Amino acid sequence: MTESSSESGTPPKAKAEERMRNYLDHFKNLLDPAQRHLTDMTKPYNRAFPFPKDVHVNPADLKKLVLNSERIRNVLEKESGGDPRKKAELVRTVKAILDEIGLDESLAVIRVLGTILNYIIRRILSGMYVNETKLEQLKSQFGDRTVLYLPSHRSYGDFILMSYVSFCYNIAIPGIAAGMDFHSMAFMGSILRQTGAFYMRRSFGNDQLYWAVFKEYMRQLVRAYDNGVEFFIEGTRSRSNKALSPKIGLLSMALEPLFMGEVPDVLVVPVSVSYDRPLEEQLFVYELLGVPKPKESTKGLLKAMSILKENYGSIYFEFGDPISVREYFGDELNRFQHSMSPAHVQSLTKSDLTLLHNLAFDVVHLQQEKIVLTTFHLISVYYNYRKYLGQSITLPELIEGLRVLVDVFQHLGAVTTIQKTGHHEADRNLIRTSIEEALKTHANILQLNSDAVLVIAKSHHDFSQVDKRKLKGHNLSDVVMRLSVPIFTLQLYCNPCLHWLAQPALVLLAAKNLSNSCEDINLHALRQAVLELRNLFATEFVFHGRREEREFGQSLDHLVHFGVMERGTAVEDASPVVRLVPDKADQQQQQQQQQVYLSAVGPFL
């Protein structure tokens, strides 16, 4: 086997680190006193509208547009069978459904809620960072297209904070799809509605009238509403802190006017919301252990105000590059096929749904690309790796481990909060300080003991109030629950890193298996083995077939760059092959990196 260059076109490590440092410079901390002019809830709210119309359509107008639409008129005629009394009754039902669904706008409520949020976030957060450069670039593209904001969904705070950020930067607060859980909350359901929330049932069942009304409401939001629309393409919060496979129901409704030729284009904006510590951390762990999710209620919300005693670190908002859906679909967007009959009697074709499916997966991918990995994410990965090998971790080892991990993640393209200077001693001090701050925020999970060894914190959770009869799955004892909580909590912080580590780990796993039978591994055979693993882990990680070849190549380049694997050609037929770099005493770092990748997917094997 002959060696070839490790990779082509990959920026040198120093350039990659500099690029990441410069990237974080674009984030502004809204909690900085210098930014009070942005967070002042009494300031003039000079809204920038994504798609301003000659006449502003208010919430009442939206309902009228739905009620008078061809779709609803046809449904009423069909369902009433021409009976005037039955039709009048159906009209009342439609109006009631619209009252249940419809958003509202109240600047006074927005200001009051924003003032309360200002108080809360300054109590519980050390920073709320927004990529201001990207946000201003987005605003510069407003004017002639509806905007769909598609944030990642890791907390109930996502859509409230999205509206808060919109107000701070004078962007019109979009119509926000919310579940009926919030609708039923006394007082809060109404408040959220007045800040742009529109409500949808979890399941439409066989209620064709509700289906038609909601679908038409979404259509009018895209066609006629100035403010844009926001919904979560993953469908629900990720309890595990991993990305979820996208759901295309709302996306198909929102983009149907584009397919039908009713709007010229739609701008999709992937938004990544990264939490140093999610507000629902404990709740998610309990749910993963089988404790049923508590019903949303105003009383429960008030009880949750105990979070004011906690420190939740920082939150990062990243507005991704807007996607022109018309340009994204290109020539595959066939609007001619929908021009032969009215839009309301048509459905999206199989080819339309394929385009939507591809877009949805790309949006989730782009969300993950811009998730900010905090110091504690890296600590969790390193702790997980060392415990995978049965080893303890001292503070100096942790500092050195994170120094290496930063290089690994930045080479993969991740954004990390640790930004090295390139000077060894300065970097060690920087990382040490970051570790100390992170462990203060997450003292409920990991702590340094008196010997400066990193250990799992003792759990002080009281499970006596948990009704064991309602547990989903196994009926776990209090002892097992107490031992499990910190471990499950730790995994919550490893999981966001899996977007970057899973694919190289699968390449390495496949290579190790194939190398048992031969030293030189045929590149095609390796790719096929990785493809099988991707299919096997399809329910654990968000993989999409269209990116398989690219991600395989990038992962292989990454492993070659760090000396874990090497490329070459077979002597007998000059076909491309790869080889695992043999373990050597002086290559401890390469051996460690192998174990980092493998330990990341270890819990899923």
Side-chain angles (χ1 to χ4, degrees), residues 20 344 501:
M20 290 304 171
H344 67 274
L501 296 179

Side-chain angles (χ1 to χ4, degrees), residues 82 183 209 426:
H183 178 273
L209 186 59

Side-chain angles (χ1 to χ4, degrees), residues 15-39:
K15 285 187 178 180
E17 290 179 356
E18 182 181 357
R19 186 176 68 248
M20 290 304 171
R21 279 199 298 273
N22 293 339
Y23 189 84
L24 283 181
D25 289 343
H26 296 300
F27 285 78
K28 293 288 179 66
N29 183 5
L30 290 181
L31 304 190
D32 189 325
Q35 308 302 323
R36 284 195 179 274
H37 64 287
L38 296 175
T39 60

Side-chain angles (χ1 to χ4, degrees), residues 161-404:
L161 293 174
M162 271 285 294
S163 298
Y164 176 84
V165 169
S166 297
F167 183 92
C168 289
Y169 284 94
N170 288 324
I171 293 174
I173 295 174
I176 308 160
M180 292 300 290
D181 302 337
F182 294 104
H183 178 273
S184 58
M185 291 174 65
F187 185 60
M188 278 307 298
S190 174
I191 285 179
L192 293 177
R193 187 191 299 278
Q194 292 179 80
T195 59
F198 64 95
Y199 293 104
M200 62 178 293
R201 298 174 187 173
R202 290 291 181 189
S203 173
F204 297 172
N206 295 320
D207 192 339
Q208 295 300 315
L209 186 59
Y210 182 87
W211 170 268
V213 173
F214 188 88
K215 191 173 184 180
E216 184 63 28
Y217 192 83
M218 179 64 84
R219 172 175 172 262
Q220 296 298 345
L221 280 173
V222 173
R223 289 180 69 252
Y225 196 51
D226 298 358
N227 296 31
V229 185
E230 175 190 331
F231 56 87
F232 301 106
I233 201 162
E234 294 169 286
T236 186
R237 289 174 301 163
S238 170
R239 272 66 170 176
S240 64
N241 225 5
K242 288 189 300 179
L244 302 177
S245 293
K247 311 293 188 295
I248 66 168
L250 283 179
L251 186 65
S252 64
M253 291 184 197
L255 293 185
E256 186 176 281
L258 175 67
F259 284 104
M260 301 300 169
E262 297 179 296
V263 294
D265 195 7
V266 174
L267 212 58
V268 166
V269 182
V271 183
S272 304
V273 188
S274 312
Y275 291 85
D276 204 341
R277 180 184 174 193
L279 304 179
E280 300 96 328
E281 176 189 82
Q282 179 178 307
L283 179 64
F284 287 164
V285 172
Y286 276 28
E287 286 189 52
L288 291 171
L289 287 169
V291 179
K293 183 185 78 167
K295 181 178 174 60
E296 284 80 5
S297 66
T298 304
K299 181 180 178 182
L301 179 65
L302 294 174
K303 285 178 66 177
M305 294 305 286
S306 61
I307 65 170
L308 294 176
K309 302 174 184 176
E310 300 281 341
N311 173 20
Y312 287 87
S314 297
I315 299 176
Y316 299 83
F317 276 83
E318 166 67 295
F319 290 76
D321 293 328
I323 301 169
S324 162
V325 179
R326 187 177 63 184
E327 292 178 8
Y328 176 91
F329 289 159
D331 294 338
E332 294 181 86
L333 177 61
N334 181 7
R335 296 201 275 194
F336 179 76
Q337 65 182 332
H338 294 294
S339 63
M340 304 302 179
S341 55
H344 67 274
V345 299
Q346 297 188 64
S347 299
L348 297 179
T349 65
K350 186 177 180 180
S351 60
D352 295 337
L353 294 174
T354 298
L355 292 175
L356 287 168
H357 184 266
N358 292 337
L359 174 61
F361 270 89
D362 279 347
V363 167
V364 172
H365 177 78
L366 291 169
Q367 289 172 347
Q368 297 310 296
E369 291 277 295
K370 296 303 181 184
I371 290 291
V372 175
L373 300 183
T374 68
T375 301
F376 195 74
H377 288 126
L378 304 189
I379 292 173
S380 301
V381 168
Y382 190 74
Y383 182 88
N384 183 58
Y385 141 66
R386 292 294 292 266
K387 286 302 175 183
Y388 182 75
L389 300 178
Q391 300 171 350
S392 60
I393 309 109
T394 63
L395 180 57
E397 290 171 334
L398 182 60
I399 293 170
E400 179 60 21
L402 262 60
R403 188 188 67 80
V404 174

Side-chain angles (χ1 to χ4, degrees), residues 129-148:
Y129 295 88
V130 178
N131 189 330
E132 192 173 88
T133 302
K134 288 288 187 181
L135 201 53
E136 293 301 331
Q137 289 174 356
L138 170 63
K139 287 174 70 175
S140 71
Q141 297 191 44
F142 284 179
D144 59 354
R145 291 168 290 188
T146 295
V147 171
L148 300 184

